[in-house]
Amino acid sequence: MSILEKLKKISHKEPGIRQFCIQTIRFKKFLENARALLDLFNDGREKALGEYIFDRHYVVSLIDRVIERLGMMVYDASVLVPKNGETLYAMYDKHKLAASNLINFSASGNGGVKSGSDASEISLSAEPEYQLLSDVLRWFDGKEVPADTTVMDFVKQTFFYVIQFDAIGGFESSDSMQNRNLFENSDVLSSDMGIYLVDLWKDALELPEASRSVRDFNSVPLRHLLMDVGGREATGPKKDSNGIPWVAAVSEYQLSLSTLKPDCRFRLETLASGYEQSDFIFIFADKSAGLDSILPAGFHVESTDYGQLAWNLDVSAKTIEDSLMIIGRKLFN
Amino acid sequence: MTKPLEVLLLDDEPIVGRRLKPALDKIGCRVEVFQSPTEAAARIDEKEFDIVVTDIRMEEMDGIQVLEHVQKTWPRTKVIMITGYAKVDLAREAMGKGVFDFIAKPFKPADLRRIIFRAAEALGSPIDSSLLNDEPVAQ
């Protein structure tokens, strides 16, 4: 089949699956940028402990990198939820201004050590570079600052704009029947389990022509998620009264698992490449989903008014694999 | 008693000298701190230091020029460069000109102490290795 024929097929017959793949991949980029922000926060906190020699350039560079990464995250969010783009960019501009004020305030000499001070008399907290870093850390995630003014508040807010939208098929999450129809009409139902399976790269380019099964997919995280639930529908994900309740979008190392249940939101994203610095598991779920009973040890969990967020970063391949097996068992058995 | 290692420390950011001097004093170095490259160069003309630790990026005179000045004046002196951000080209140039080693900001004082320890060995004036504990300089 020529490329033109493939494109015609994509554009005329199944734009929904392609859109779903693009949204899923974009959501992964969004998570990567959020993770990079957390790494920058941690880097700043580590340097503030007093063991490191750093100068003003380091702190200014840290601020610049946070603003740059925040901009990438806002861009991803705006692609995922265009209707919130204007609001998000307005909030982002406020943070750019806050960053600029931090840099300019410190450059004007405020909070500096008086000239002629004896080095032995200067405490760490009086050093202007440490003061600046301390102000920056408060801007990142200060507990004592007014609500909704920190970068972390903004990150969480952005998260919920994205999560509430739900990237499945690019539809509002409340329209679950439309989501189900999208997958039902696309021949992506697994023949051996009650789950829709989407190949993130292949299905975005070409519609499936033959029936598929879990065994056909060479996906490390999917294999581990379903390892303990057997290869039969009787022990794996099952069809409920509303139809098939799960959709898994996969590539060799990526898995995006979402529920299609009308009264519940659950989304698991993972990268299991074997490279510890980039691998992660991230989960968002409604409070009613009972995350506490699903998660293995080691997860960072945050409860909010919108639901629960849980993640595990910088973990070994074995920990990721074991965690996925436990989660799969708890979800599907 | 062994002669203390004479170290000139040059960085235009005052915090670097303020925090590094006590850390190097602890291992028996005699440290003179400068923020101005021209003042440091004038001092180098007057006195032979065992080790010069210099930032690579400064306003009046960069670290490469300081390195060249030291090598011309006191060929035995070891020069250690402190590098900042994305200064790969300058670092490569300095490597070709015979800099002893590099250290990238942010760093721990113990990291610099280890380099100074090696430089002292190369100079034939080794430092007692028991002094190389990783102690924070926070007060």
Side-chain angles (χ1 to χ4, degrees):
Chain A
M1 187 185 291
S2 72
I3 292 174
L4 188 61
E5 285 171 322
K6 281 183 184 177
L7 287 173
K8 276 182 185 168
K9 192 172 181 181
I10 288 164
S11 59
H12 289 131
K13 291 185 73 177
E14 203 46 73
I17 287 291
R18 183 174 55 156
Q19 180 68 5
F20 166 73
C21 293
I22 291 169
Q23 296 279 72
T24 304
I25 291 165
R26 176 60 63 186
F27 187 71
K28 178 169 165 281
K29 297 299 294 177
F30 173 78
L31 287 179
E32 283 173 3
N33 286 320
R35 181 196 179 143
L37 277 170
L38 293 181
D39 288 343
L40 289 171
F41 295 172
N42 289 336
D43 190 65
R45 287 191 197 106
E46 185 188 22
K47 300 301 179 292
L49 293 176
E51 289 188 16
Y52 280 86
I53 304 288
F54 62 85
D55 57 20
R56 191 172 176 279
H57 294 293
Y58 163 73
V59 192
V60 171
S61 159
L62 183 66
I63 294 171
D64 288 343
R65 284 180 290 158
V66 165
I67 285 297
E68 182 185 22
R69 195 57 84 156
L70 203 54
M72 291 160 78
M73 193 177 158
V74 167
Y75 174 77
D76 293 334
S78 300
V79 171
L80 290 166
V81 198
K83 69 177 181 183
N84 290 121
E86 201 174 324
T87 309
L88 288 170
Y89 272 103
M91 291 161 83
Y92 176 55
D93 284 344
K94 283 185 185 170
H95 281 284
K96 281 205 290 191
L97 184 63
S100 173
N101 287 341
L102 278 168
I103 294 170
N104 293 337
F105 184 73
S106 70
S108 66
N110 289 291
V113 176
K114 287 174 188 163
S115 61
S117 302
D118 184 340
S120 63
E121 293 172 356
I122 298 167
S123 71
L124 205 58
S125 58
E127 294 280 10
E129 291 79 4
Y130 275 85
Q131 282 187 357
L132 176 58
L133 182 56
S134 170
D135 291 343
V136 169
L137 293 176
R138 265 196 297 279
W139 169 57
F140 283 172
D141 196 15
K143 303 298 175 211
E144 69 279 23
V145 298
D148 299 330
T149 56
T150 67
V151 177
M152 197 63 186
D153 290 334
F154 181 41
V155 169
K156 285 182 188 171
Q157 188 67 52
T158 309
F159 244 102
F160 290 118
Y161 279 142
V162 171
I163 290 288
Q164 293 217 42
F165 174 73
D166 195 331
I168 294 177
F171 302 123
E172 296 288 350
S173 56
S174 57
D175 203 350
S176 62
M177 276 318 293
Q178 200 172 353
N179 293 341
R180 282 172 186 257
N181 290 340
L182 166 73
F183 298 110
E184 197 61 51
N185 296 334
S186 302
D187 298 326
V188 293
L189 177 62
S190 163
S191 60
D192 48 358
M193 285 194 189
I195 187 168
Y196 294 115
L197 289 173
V198 177
D199 186 314
L200 274 173
W201 300 106
K202 286 184 188 166
D203 293 340
L205 294 172
E206 194 169 4
L207 280 171
E209 287 175 350
S211 69
R212 52 186 55 192
S213 73
V214 171
R215 287 187 302 274
D216 297 335
F217 281 77
N218 177 27
S219 170
V220 173
L222 180 70
R223 192 168 65 238
H224 285 90
L225 183 80
L226 301 177
M227 189 169 280
D228 275 1
V229 297
R232 294 164 288 117
E233 191 167 358
T235 52
K238 298 172 193 65
K239 194 172 182 176
D240 61 21
S241 57
N242 293 301
I244 302 298
W246 295 98
V247 55
V250 300
S251 66
E252 187 173 0
Y253 300 118
Q254 187 184 346
L255 164 68
S256 174
L257 176 77
S258 304
T259 181
L260 295 168
K261 293 176 185 174
D263 52 350
C264 176
R265 279 182 304 164
F266 180 95
R267 180 162 189 154
L268 179 150
E269 294 283 334
T270 183
L271 185 69
S273 67
Y275 181 59
E276 208 165 300
Q277 280 71 31
S278 62
D279 286 354
F280 68 92
I281 301 180
F282 165 85
I283 300 174
F284 170 77
D286 280 338
K287 287 177 182 170
S288 60
L291 260 193
D292 296 340
S293 63
I294 295 169
L295 293 178
F299 274 74
H300 176 97
V301 181
E302 287 225 3
S303 292
T304 71
D305 294 341
Y306 305 94
Q308 285 184 298
L309 296 166
W311 62 85
N312 203 354
L313 310 175
D314 297 321
V315 283
S316 67
K318 182 164 187 340
T319 305
I320 293 251
E321 290 165 7
D322 290 348
S323 297
L324 288 172
M325 284 163 62
I326 293 169
I327 293 168
R329 217 162 40 219
K330 300 259 174 84
L331 280 178
F332 303 128
N333 280 355
Chain B
M1 192 174 165
T2 51
K3 183 174 160 286
L5 214 56
E6 298 287 347
V7 177
L8 183 144
L9 179 56
L10 168 61
D11 196 306
D12 57 0
E13 291 274 353
I15 189 174
V16 178
R18 276 202 301 270
R19 304 235 69 89
L20 273 182
K21 187 178 185 310
L24 298 184
D25 285 345
K26 280 182 190 166
I27 57 169
C29 296
R30 192 147 59 201
V31 185
E32 292 187 32
V33 176
F34 291 86
Q35 289 170 40
S36 156
T38 48
E39 286 177 22
R43 183 64 178 141
I44 288 164
D45 288 338
E46 293 171 1
K47 176 179 173 181
E48 181 181 15
F49 287 89
D50 296 305
I51 296 171
V52 169
V53 181
T54 177
D55 193 7
I56 205 162
R57 188 186 70 171
M58 293 173 290
E59 295 276 319
E60 308 162 10
M61 191 177 173
D62 69 28
I64 302 290
Q65 291 169 296
V66 174
L67 170 68
E68 288 169 345
H69 186 75
V70 171
Q71 287 179 330
K72 195 172 64 184
T73 316
W74 307 106
R76 177 185 162 274
T77 301
K78 304 292 181 198
V79 177
I80 298 165
M81 291 268 181
I82 301 174
T83 63
Y85 314 95
K87 294 290 159 200
V88 179
D89 290 346
L90 272 178
R92 195 177 292 129
E93 187 184 347
M95 193 65 93
K97 289 180 186 273
V99 71
F100 181 76
D101 208 344
F102 292 94
I103 189 161
K105 285 183 204 165
F107 61 88
K108 292 181 179 178
D111 299 331
L112 180 62
R113 285 199 291 251
R114 276 188 280 276
I115 296 174
I116 287 190
F117 178 78
R118 285 195 293 105
E121 278 193 326
L123 288 165
S125 316
I127 297 170
D128 179 359
S129 61
S130 65
L131 297 169
L132 291 177
N133 295 333
D134 190 1
E135 297 168 28
V137 289
Q139 293 157 27

